[in-house]
Amino acid sequence: MPTVEFEIAPGKYVGGKHPCFIIAEIGQNHQGNVELAKALIQIAAVLKPAFFLIIVDCGVDCVKFQKTDLLSRFTAEVLKRPYEGEHVWGSTYGEHRKYLELAGEDFVELKKFSTDLGLCFAASGMDKPSTDFLNSLGVPFFKIGSADTTNLPLLKHLCRYNKPLVISTGMTTEADVCKMYDEVSKESQQIALLQCTSCYPTPPHNVNLNVMKAYKDLFPEAVIGYSGHEKGIGISLAAVASGAKILERHITLDHSYKGSDHKSSLEPQELKNLVDGIRRIEKAMGSNKKEFQECEKPCFEKLGKTIVASRFLESGTFLDEDAMDVKVSVKKGYDPINYYDLIGKQLKTEVEKDEAILSVHLA
């Protein structure tokens, strides 16, 4: 089967042997503030602002926001309902969502800010007008949130733009995802599916990383990844070790900020640790061919065992188990894996006790 890969952004590929594509999801953790949004973008590129005199490259590939046309996404009844709680920004749900929504010109400014920092800029469009706007903005791919995994009209609308689709699959069943993929793959050949559980934060027993293995079997033509909402970085690292080729995590400046996503987001140092951990894991995964490595030679010379004579052996001796032993020796001869292959072989020279048996000793 050919390797599944595609270009997700200029010069950035996903799938195959390419590094995991890391998306820092800002979502609405900007609290409706453009300057806070810029600060969040900056931590995806550097750990601390320049005035701290310490700049650490986090190495994230992409920053992602959310774009909503409220009247296209929600019914009037939903927008008018009273909204209460510790994380609200208005007396009704509509006021709350409007407070958190950035304007079109804000997205233009943030895209340029991201690009100047060397980051890919993307956003989840939650409705057709929003996705049309994002297309005009020039996003390289469309991210589809879990709430729209089964929104076939929106997905088919996006296929018209001929851009990669990265689809989170929270709040769905395997049958839902199969039906969605069957329909969408007729019109798009650049699809990534992300295992996701839409719970903030997600308890470990609800993460189900093994779904990625099922996805690889069910959708061999798709790139598979993970969108996480758990606390910490351990599970996300495990996702990459399990084969996730795209990883998405929310980021924040502080877990204590107002907003339901902040507790399941990563603070700057956590983000740095995650990226570093992913790159170490990718190096550690290495080759699938088991070989004796150059770096192992010092240990082998010190501790590697070899077949030696168990006593003084005269020329003409036929080797048997009583004639041979396995020990650490300065000189390396036959590896113990060949022990039983040597039984019955005849010596053409003498071999001293504890001397390594070599090919030159055999008739």
Side-chain angles (χ1 to χ4, degrees):
M1 184 178 296
T3 300
V4 180
E5 59 182 40
F6 57 80
E7 189 175 21
I8 193 168
K12 293 281 187 178
Y13 289 79
V14 292
K17 296 182 179 180
H18 299 286
C20 179
F21 186 78
I22 304 172
I23 301 173
E25 164 72 89
I26 292 171
Q28 294 186 321
N29 281 354
H30 50 70
Q31 320 286 55
N33 185 306
V34 174
E35 293 308 311
L36 180 54
K38 287 182 178 180
L40 287 163
I41 292 171
Q42 189 173 18
I43 71 167
V46 296
L47 181 59
K48 297 179 179 179
F51 56 78
F52 279 97
L53 302 179
I54 301 176
I55 298 178
V56 182
D57 186 0
C58 278
V60 168
D61 297 292
C62 176
V63 289
K64 191 184 79 65
F65 289 80
Q66 297 175 9
K67 181 75 175 73
T68 295
D69 179 83
L70 295 180
L71 295 178
S72 297
R73 184 181 180 187
F74 302 105
T75 65
E77 183 181 12
V78 169
L79 294 175
K80 289 178 182 178
R81 68 182 170 90
Y83 199 53
E84 298 178 349
E86 61 178 316
H87 300 303
V88 303
W89 297 95
S91 60
T92 66
Y93 189 65
E95 290 177 358
H96 168 78
R97 298 300 308 211
K98 185 176 181 180
Y99 182 91
L100 293 173
E101 192 63 34
L102 297 173
E105 55 266 28
D106 296 330
F107 276 86
V108 174
E109 182 179 353
L110 293 174
K111 181 176 184 292
K112 182 180 185 305
F113 188 78
S114 303
T115 303
D116 289 344
L117 287 174
L119 295 169
C120 169
F121 178 91
S124 295
M126 305 300 190
D127 45 74
K128 288 182 180 179
S130 295
T131 58
D132 290 343
F133 168 78
L134 293 173
N135 183 67
S136 69
L137 193 62
V139 295
F141 66 91
F142 290 112
K143 173 61 175 40
I144 294 88
S146 292
D148 287 307
T149 308
T150 58
N151 188 347
L152 289 179
L154 178 63
L155 292 170
K156 286 181 174 288
H157 177 76
L158 292 175
C159 288
R160 302 173 186 173
Y161 291 120
N162 196 32
K163 292 182 177 181
L165 304 179
V166 179
I167 307 172
S168 285
T169 58
M171 300 182 291
T172 62
T173 65
E174 182 177 293
D176 292 332
V177 179
C178 286
K179 183 173 182 179
M180 175 275 292
Y181 185 83
D182 183 60
E183 290 293 328
V184 176
S185 62
K186 294 174 184 177
E187 301 179 38
S188 175
Q189 283 70 54
Q190 296 180 316
I191 300 174
L193 298 175
L194 310 187
Q195 163 58 359
C196 177
T197 301
S198 299
C199 177
Y200 305 81
T202 306
H205 65 273
N206 291 123
V207 171
N208 295 323
L209 290 182
N210 281 331
V211 170
M212 292 193 302
K213 297 178 182 178
Y215 280 178
K216 290 176 185 178
D217 293 333
L218 289 167
F219 314 110
E221 300 300 322
V223 170
I224 306 303
Y226 175 67
S227 177
H229 303 120
E230 73 279 359
K231 291 183 178 180
I233 67 173
I235 289 173
S236 291
L237 293 174
V240 175
S242 298
K245 304 305 293 185
I246 298 175
L247 181 79
E248 178 183 62
R249 286 297 306 271
H250 286 249
I251 64 172
T252 181
L253 292 178
D254 193 319
H255 291 306
S256 66
Y257 277 8
K258 180 178 175 179
S260 57
D261 285 349
H262 291 284
K263 285 183 172 59
S264 57
S265 300
L266 300 178
E267 291 181 349
Q269 187 62 57
E270 292 177 299
L271 179 63
K272 170 65 176 171
N273 293 343
L274 175 65
V275 176
D276 287 349
I278 288 172
R279 299 313 178 207
R280 285 197 300 272
I281 286 172
E282 289 174 331
K283 289 179 181 178
M285 296 302 287
S287 171
N288 59 5
K289 183 178 181 181
K290 179 60 181 174
E291 294 181 302
F292 182 95
Q293 299 186 69
E294 187 70 24
C295 69
E296 296 177 300
K297 282 186 177 181
C299 185
F300 178 74
E301 292 299 325
K302 181 180 179 181
L303 300 175
K305 293 185 175 181
T306 192
I307 299 173
V308 301
S310 61
R311 62 180 189 276
F312 172 76
L313 301 176
E314 297 180 349
S315 175
T317 298
F318 285 91
L319 297 176
D320 57 20
E321 290 189 48
D322 290 334
M324 297 183 293
D325 204 346
V326 176
K327 294 184 178 182
V328 175
S329 173
V330 173
K331 195 165 190 177
K332 307 299 182 188
Y334 284 98
D335 189 280
I337 196 71
N338 300 304
Y339 183 89
Y340 294 102
D341 297 331
L342 293 183
I343 292 177
K345 301 290 185 181
Q346 186 178 26
L347 296 177
K348 66 179 181 181
T349 64
E350 296 177 347
V351 181
E352 298 292 333
K353 181 183 178 186
D354 278 349
E355 184 180 353
I357 297 174
L358 308 174
S359 60
V360 295
H361 295 144
L362 302 181

